[in-house]
Amino acid sequence: MKPGSHDSSQNFQTVLQARFPRRTFLQYAAGAGTATLWGALPGCSSELQPHTHDTLSGAAPAWQFDTVPQGLDTRLTLPDGYDYQVLLRWGDPLFPDSAKFDPLQQTGEKQARQFGFNNDYVGFLPLPLGSDNSEHGLLTINHEHTKARLMHPGIRSEGQLDQEQTRVDIAAHGLSVIEVKKQQSGWQVVKGSDYTRRITPDTPMQLTGAAAGHPWLQTQHSEDGIATLGTYGNCAGGITPWGTILTAEENFDKYFSGDVDKLAQKDNFRRYGFSGEQEKNWSQYEERWDLNKHPGEAFHMGWIVEIDPYDPNSVPKKRTGLGRFKHEGANVTIAPDGRAVAYSGDDEKFEYVYRFVSRDTYKPGNDNASRAHNMQLLENGVLSVARFSENGTLSWLPLVHGKGPLTVKNGFNNQAEVLLNTRKAADLLGATPMDRPEDVDINPVSGKVYVMLTKNDSRQPDALNGPNPRAYNRGGQIIELLPPESSAQQRDHCADEFRWEVLLLAGKPEPHNAQNVTFYHPDTDENGWLACPDNCAFDTQGNIWVTTDGAEDFGVADGVWWVVAEGEKRGYAQRFMRAPVGAEVCGPCFTPDNRSFFCAIQHPGGDSNFDQPDTRWPDYAAELPPRPALIVVTQTR
Ligand code: FEO
Ligand code: CA
Ligand code: CA
């Protein structure tokens, strides 16, 4: 049994009753009694302790809208009164010298000057730096991964790519930075902007923090273990208060091939999921991805990378202090004492939720000296991992060399090895295994922290725990972390102990199916349920805008939902967007004035292929495949 789980003697209902706020729970039960879709929760009743909500009373969302019905088709659907513009699609030229997109004549060289594939995270930073301008800014966009079958005619698997197609594949990863401006006619990408940048798996970068320079990182491409090349598998990310972007390296194991059992650090490789059977065939043409020739390359991956989009010549920094795992993203807030706090989830089944607290404190201001100081904040600090208790408390367990089990005896020679082996260190500390932690983000209105747990169909009935209360979990859940209130309106994100609550248990409500019991505010109707929460954004009223990745397993499109975090309607959900078939929606982000909503439409067409795609969104041109694209949603009235 994994640490933090408990046995079957503590069944689902016990866990649920122990951790649900009384009011919401009883409301749910009342809803169940009205013969709707909602499955009844047996046993919920009067022995529950009274619960008082925090002071926020709940607020109308930034945007009022009539719900979008559930459904699944080839188009992107929004409520009446809203429209979207496509800003950039895979292959669109970014620079004056970029080649025009032609999927039949694509090369790696062209791709490196064009918008990449499978856009995920989207971060908006205003221009000028430090302003709250909502009509002019920089967008930084992750290109998480590629799908060869949708990029090339005749291709059905990644292993079929030839050398030039592999170069395209590599160059389609990384990030894009663009300048955008709102004009009378709508949002425009500023052509020829000096800010425009493509970052790829070949862009020079640096490792910083305690792990930088460790011998495992010294490779043919990095004699000092500090210099490093590029980033890939960039899933979500975050914006720092000092105006940089954090981008998260997630599924990095997929890119490497080789015999893992022959590696000196084979236990480490196994713990990170390396099987030697790579999904990509990059190593066939670039031996950097051959584990047996260059085992150290893999230690350059699995980090949070900090990028300054305001300086297109800046060298991105891999912040090893935030740990090495399959980071979904990283989101930063400033604690009342001035320290920077970053939250991050390790997105794999039974992995953990982490928090980094900086050693030094934030200096307000955007002058060069303050900014240079703040850009060092993620270099030194303490990384901790979350252990949730059934009684509603959460303990942050520090990953510090020499503390507890993190000793030489257990294979950790120094702090660098704790960071390089973050997952093992967290195992030994007894962290709580979660149902795939995706975004962990801070609500700027309440200071509460929300964890999107996307799903975990491998969780067995004897391995349930408080925040992961369902076996064979297909729908995911949203958990709320509550730092103690240090003073009015301020929460102490550095505290050793938090409390936690369940906001909702997602999935399609199905009566009489104990494994798939769902939990929403009872006013949520048949178009409101969602499944597999992945990313989130907050409006200025503190409502959560949730994007999903997996609703098609329940027969409906992925998309965007408005979810109420506070007050009488806490846990209420309503569908705002339906993605085209096969696509998920990623990287939601509002401009500061809440009038524009950027997001990424990733993998439209899903598992279909270039020759016979399930949709041709967004071009609907017979000669073009579906293309992942960055869009902006605005109100039309
Ligand atoms: Fe790339 Fe965690 O989804
Ligand atoms: Ca994600
Ligand atoms: Ca995803």
Side-chain angles (χ1 to χ4, degrees), residues 66-362:
D66 292 331
T67 192
V68 169
Q70 307 280 22
L72 182 62
D73 60 35
T74 61
R75 303 204 163 251
L76 189 150
T77 307
L78 288 167
D80 286 346
Y82 294 82
D83 206 354
Y84 73 95
Q85 273 179 265
V86 175
L87 290 177
L88 284 170
R89 304 153 294 185
W90 166 50
D92 279 346
L94 291 177
F95 302 91
D97 66 352
S98 298
K100 188 169 174 287
F101 179 62
D102 178 350
L104 303 181
Q105 307 289 331
Q106 187 67 322
T107 67
E109 199 179 338
K110 290 179 188 172
Q111 178 65 76
R113 307 285 284 168
Q114 297 168 335
F115 196 61
F117 205 77
N118 272 345
N119 30 211
D120 197 299
Y121 178 72
V122 182
F124 177 86
L125 282 167
L127 281 169
L129 165 68
S131 71
D132 62 356
N133 196 339
S134 288
E135 302 198 339
H136 187 196
L138 300 175
L139 288 176
T140 305
I141 304 109
N142 285 353
H143 301 294
E144 183 187 12
H145 50 66
T146 50
K147 220 158 203 183
R149 53 197 290 135
L150 283 165
M151 296 169 74
H152 310 278
I155 296 290
R156 296 293 181 271
S157 75
E158 305 289 328
Q160 285 176 275
L161 297 186
D162 65 22
Q163 184 158 19
E164 192 57 51
Q165 289 169 326
T166 300
R167 288 195 182 118
V168 172
D169 207 64
I170 294 170
H173 283 70
L175 298 95
S176 296
V177 181
I178 58 166
E179 181 181 349
V180 288
K181 208 169 197 174
K182 195 175 180 191
Q183 314 277 21
Q184 205 87 42
S185 57
W187 282 90
Q188 305 289 331
V189 178
V190 178
K191 296 214 164 66
S193 165
D194 289 342
Y195 293 108
T196 312
R197 188 171 189 187
R198 256 323 299 285
I199 291 167
T200 73
D202 291 320
T203 302
M205 304 190 172
Q206 273 179 4
L207 290 146
T208 77
H214 187 278
W216 298 355
L217 292 158
Q218 293 164 8
T219 68
Q220 185 179 324
H221 303 103
S222 177
E223 284 179 14
D224 58 4
I226 293 172
T228 186
L229 269 187
T231 186
Y232 41 95
N234 304 80
C235 197
I239 284 173
T240 66
W242 49 94
T244 59
I245 294 282
L246 303 180
T247 180
E249 296 177 341
E250 195 190 41
N251 294 311
F252 56 95
D253 55 311
K254 287 188 198 170
Y255 297 88
F256 293 87
S257 60
D259 185 345
V260 174
D261 287 329
K262 289 195 176 134
L263 302 173
Q265 303 301 329
K266 64 171 184 278
D267 291 347
N268 180 298
F269 281 85
R270 289 276 181 220
R271 184 64 187 83
Y272 283 87
F274 287 81
S275 64
E277 290 171 16
Q278 85 282 24
E279 189 177 302
K280 297 284 185 188
N281 71 343
W282 292 7
S283 66
Q284 194 179 331
Y285 303 108
E286 304 267 354
E287 62 172 51
R288 201 178 135 193
W289 284 284
D290 182 329
L291 287 173
N292 298 113
K293 289 185 177 142
H294 302 285
E297 277 294 320
F299 292 113
H300 286 244
M301 292 298 301
W303 306 107
I304 290 293
V305 189
E306 184 170 7
I307 297 169
D308 180 4
Y310 291 99
D311 177 1
N313 299 313
S314 58
V315 176
K317 303 279 178 14
K318 296 200 176 189
R319 303 301 189 189
T320 68
L322 276 70
R324 176 171 177 261
F325 47 89
K326 294 184 183 177
H327 285 276
E328 164 69 18
N331 288 285
V332 177
T333 189
I334 304 298
D337 69 2
R339 285 182 286 173
V341 178
Y343 294 95
S344 188
D346 184 354
D347 181 11
E348 199 147 60
K349 293 173 181 178
F350 304 109
E351 294 301 337
Y352 309 130
V353 171
Y354 293 85
R355 179 190 72 175
F356 171 89
V357 178
S358 69
R359 181 191 67 188
D360 300 328
T361 55
Y362 172 71

Side-chain angles (χ1 to χ4, degrees), residues 286-601:
E286 304 267 354
E287 62 172 51
R288 201 178 135 193
W289 284 284
D290 182 329
L291 287 173
N292 298 113
K293 289 185 177 142
H294 302 285
E297 277 294 320
F299 292 113
H300 286 244
M301 292 298 301
W303 306 107
I304 290 293
V305 189
E306 184 170 7
I307 297 169
D308 180 4
Y310 291 99
D311 177 1
N313 299 313
S314 58
V315 176
K317 303 279 178 14
K318 296 200 176 189
R319 303 301 189 189
T320 68
L322 276 70
R324 176 171 177 261
F325 47 89
K326 294 184 183 177
H327 285 276
E328 164 69 18
N331 288 285
V332 177
T333 189
I334 304 298
D337 69 2
R339 285 182 286 173
V341 178
Y343 294 95
S344 188
D346 184 354
D347 181 11
E348 199 147 60
K349 293 173 181 178
F350 304 109
E351 294 301 337
Y352 309 130
V353 171
Y354 293 85
R355 179 190 72 175
F356 171 89
V357 178
S358 69
R359 181 191 67 188
D360 300 328
T361 55
Y362 172 71
K363 278 193 184 153
N366 292 297
D367 56 283
N368 289 344
S370 300
R371 199 146 182 271
H373 168 87
N374 293 331
M375 281 201 269
Q376 306 296 316
L377 286 176
L378 302 183
E379 287 216 10
N380 296 294
V382 174
L383 181 69
S384 303
V385 66
R387 181 165 62 205
F388 294 79
S389 298
E390 307 297 329
N391 68 4
T393 59
L394 181 171
S395 303
W396 290 106
L397 313 169
L399 280 76
V400 174
H401 182 251
K403 263 197 159 182
L406 308 184
T407 58
V408 175
K409 183 168 155 269
N410 285 320
F412 301 100
N413 290 306
N414 44 50
Q415 183 63 19
E417 290 178 18
V418 171
L419 296 172
L420 286 156
N421 265 317
T422 301
R423 281 185 168 182
K424 178 182 168 186
D427 292 342
L428 291 173
L429 289 169
T432 301
M434 310 293 283
D435 289 344
R436 289 190 51 197
E438 302 256 20
D439 266 0
V440 184
D441 206 350
I442 307 112
N443 188 329
V445 176
S446 65
K448 297 177 183 177
V449 180
Y450 290 85
V451 185
M452 306 294 125
L453 293 161
T454 201
K455 60 181 166 186
N456 183 355
D457 59 4
S458 301
R459 187 174 291 280
Q460 297 298 307
D462 64 355
L464 309 183
N465 60 50
N468 306 279
R470 292 180 295 181
Y472 316 113
N473 175 11
R474 293 168 60 223
Q477 61 265 27
I478 301 178
I479 302 296
E480 186 179 63
L481 314 185
L482 302 136
E485 285 172 291
S486 58
S487 62
Q489 307 299 318
Q490 286 208 306
R491 288 182 179 271
D492 182 7
H493 290 269
C494 302
D496 294 338
E497 293 235 323
F498 286 15
R499 288 189 301 117
W500 65 270
E501 296 285 1
V502 178
L503 178 64
L504 58 81
L505 298 180
K508 181 178 183 180
E510 292 172 304
H512 316 302
N513 182 348
Q515 252 97 45
N516 280 310
V517 168
T518 55
F519 187 88
Y520 302 90
H521 185 280
D523 287 354
T524 306
D525 70 13
E526 69 273 16
N527 295 314
W529 62 267
L530 60 109
C532 309
D534 190 336
N535 299 139
C536 68
F538 301 93
D539 63 28
T540 46
Q541 282 80 25
N543 294 284
I544 315 177
W545 296 72
V546 176
T547 69
T548 64
D549 179 12
E552 284 193 22
D553 288 347
F554 294 83
V556 303
D558 279 305
V560 182
W561 278 257
W562 160 50
V563 175
V564 179
E566 300 287 350
E568 287 297 323
K569 291 196 93 169
R570 174 181 157 85
Y572 174 80
Q574 184 171 313
R575 187 192 267 274
F576 177 72
M577 181 192 292
R578 223 163 64 204
V581 62
E584 64 171 295
V585 182
C586 307
C589 130
F590 280 100
T591 48
D593 65 1
N594 279 190
R595 293 172 73 99
S596 301
F597 179 85
F598 296 100
C599 60
I601 306 301

